[in-house]
Amino acid sequence: MRTRTFAPVKPLRPVWQSALLAALCSLAVAASGVIVLGHDALDAFTWNTWLLLGLAFAMSISGATWAAAQWMSPSGKAGFGRPLAGLIIAILGLAIGSETGPFKMIWAAKCFTIGSSAALLSGLMLVVIFRRSAPIMRQRVAVAAGILAGFVGFLVIQVHCPINEFWHMMLGHALLPVIWGIAGYLLARLSWSR
């Protein structure tokens, strides 16, 4: 049984501090993943594809980070516009850089699993950072954190995997932020219902 006390609650840190901490942790996971797995895909694409992908990752990671940090407070205002725009730009970049070739679901599943490993590590760090979210915004924070973790996995596997067949990249790489965003929502619903 919980008892209510009237002791003061420790205030939340400023939004910019939470966002910066989440971004730095996510980028540290991404850099570690690239160092461990390698960067075999850097030569598989032209500079214009990497330019679009770089823009997409910057928009999406910063947008999801800022949204999650804003929504820690019940008065926080943010949206999913930047991560969504980033995902669309990433898909455009993948389409421009893709080549025709054989699609093998087993290879896409392997890439999705490797990317999910990086996303899971990032997600665990984000749970610690955003654990004090406002109850009425918890699901939004969880979705934003899930999208952020998914983009970390997407970044790691995109830099690592040299397969540039379009459907492989869509299902094995670009699907990560979508699935992890849904997972964040479902986990928030599950934990909130208890």
Side-chain angles (χ1 to χ4, degrees):
M1 180 175 171
R2 289 185 181 176
T3 58
R4 295 182 185 231
T5 64
F6 294 103
V9 176
K10 182 180 174 186
L12 293 172
R13 65 174 53 115
V15 170
W16 71 268
Q17 287 181 5
S18 297
L20 181 62
L21 182 60
L24 290 175
C25 287
S26 297
L27 293 175
V29 170
S32 301
V34 168
I35 289 168
V36 169
L37 295 172
H39 45 78
D40 300 333
L42 289 180
D43 296 331
F45 299 100
T46 60
W47 67 269
N48 54 352
T49 298
W50 281 118
L51 186 65
L52 285 172
L53 289 173
L55 175 64
F57 289 130
M59 284 178 66
S60 302
I61 289 172
S62 65
T65 303
W66 187 253
Q70 277 284 348
W71 286 326
M72 284 186 71
S73 164
S75 61
K77 301 218 182 312
F80 290 113
R82 274 194 289 172
L84 179 60
L87 183 60
I88 292 168
I89 292 170
I91 291 169
L92 177 63
L94 296 179
I96 290 171
S98 68
E99 295 177 3
T100 56
F103 170 71
K104 300 207 179 214
M105 191 62 194
I106 188 102
W107 293 352
K110 184 176 180 182
C111 280
F112 188 87
T113 303
I114 293 169
S116 287
S117 299
L120 178 62
L121 183 55
S122 178
L124 291 173
M125 291 180 168
L126 295 172
V127 165
V128 173
I129 294 168
F130 297 124
R131 71 187 181 283
R132 293 184 58 218
S133 302
I136 60 173
M137 302 292 247
R138 190 164 285 146
Q139 289 172 355
R140 287 183 184 190
V141 172
V143 171
I147 291 170
L148 173 56
F151 268 105
V152 168
F154 182 8
L155 173 60
V156 169
I157 199 62
Q158 190 62 46
V159 172
H160 167 66
C161 175
I163 299 172
N164 58 0
E165 194 276 327
F166 181 73
W167 289 108
H168 172 88
M169 293 186 292
M170 285 297 295
L171 299 176
H173 304 186
L175 193 59
L176 283 159
V178 176
I179 296 300
W180 278 86
I182 293 168
Y185 173 78
L186 293 175
L187 287 171
R189 285 287 300 241
L190 186 64
S191 66
W192 185 245
S193 63
R194 290 183 169 189

